[in-house]
Amino acid sequence: NNISYVQLIRLNTLIMLFISLSKAQKTLAQNVRERRLQMDLTQEGLAERSGVALSTLRKFEQAGLVSLESSLKILPTVGG
C-alpha cells in the first residue's frame, strides 16, 4: 500500500495549513495578552469585562485555543 506522490503533497499541504493556523492562533493570543497588559488589566479583569470564564482566557493566552464565541467576546473588549 504505497502512498502516491499526489497523496503525499496533499498530506504535506494539510500539515502546513495546520501549522499556519496554529501559529496564527498563538500570535492572536499573544497580541491579546499584550493589549491586555497595555490596558493594565489582569486576566481576571479581562475575563470579567469580556464575559468569558477565567479558565477560558488563561487557556487562550497560554495555548491560543479558544472558541469562536469566546473570541468574539474577548476581541472587542481589547479593541481587536
Side-chain angles (χ1 to χ4, degrees), residues 40-68:
D40 290 323
L41 280 174
T42 61
Q43 286 181 330
E44 291 84 356
L46 178 55
E48 186 176 318
R49 282 193 190 185
S50 63
V52 300
L54 177 58
S55 60
T56 298
L57 182 62
R58 285 186 173 149
K59 187 175 180 181
F60 176 50
E61 285 193 3
Q62 292 171 359
L65 302 174
V66 70
S67 70
L68 177 60

Side-chain angles (χ1 to χ4, degrees), residues 3-80:
I3 296 176
S4 72
Y5 181 73
V6 172
Q7 289 172 321
L8 188 59
I9 294 297
R10 286 182 182 160
L11 180 60
N12 188 52
T13 301
L14 287 173
I15 291 169
M16 293 307 292
L17 178 61
F18 176 75
I19 290 169
S20 296
L21 289 174
S22 177
K23 187 174 179 180
Q25 288 173 307
K26 289 178 183 175
T27 299
L28 178 60
Q30 246 181 336
N31 291 341
V32 166
R33 181 179 185 278
E34 288 172 10
R35 179 67 180 133
R36 174 181 64 76
L37 294 173
Q38 289 172 355
M39 296 171 69
D40 290 323
L41 280 174
T42 61
Q43 286 181 330
E44 291 84 356
L46 178 55
E48 186 176 318
R49 282 193 190 185
S50 63
V52 300
L54 177 58
S55 60
T56 298
L57 182 62
R58 285 186 173 149
K59 187 175 180 181
F60 176 50
E61 285 193 3
Q62 292 171 359
L65 302 174
V66 70
S67 70
L68 177 60
E69 180 181 353
S70 292
S71 67
L72 292 174
K73 292 177 180 179
I74 295 167
L75 291 175
T77 306
V78 295

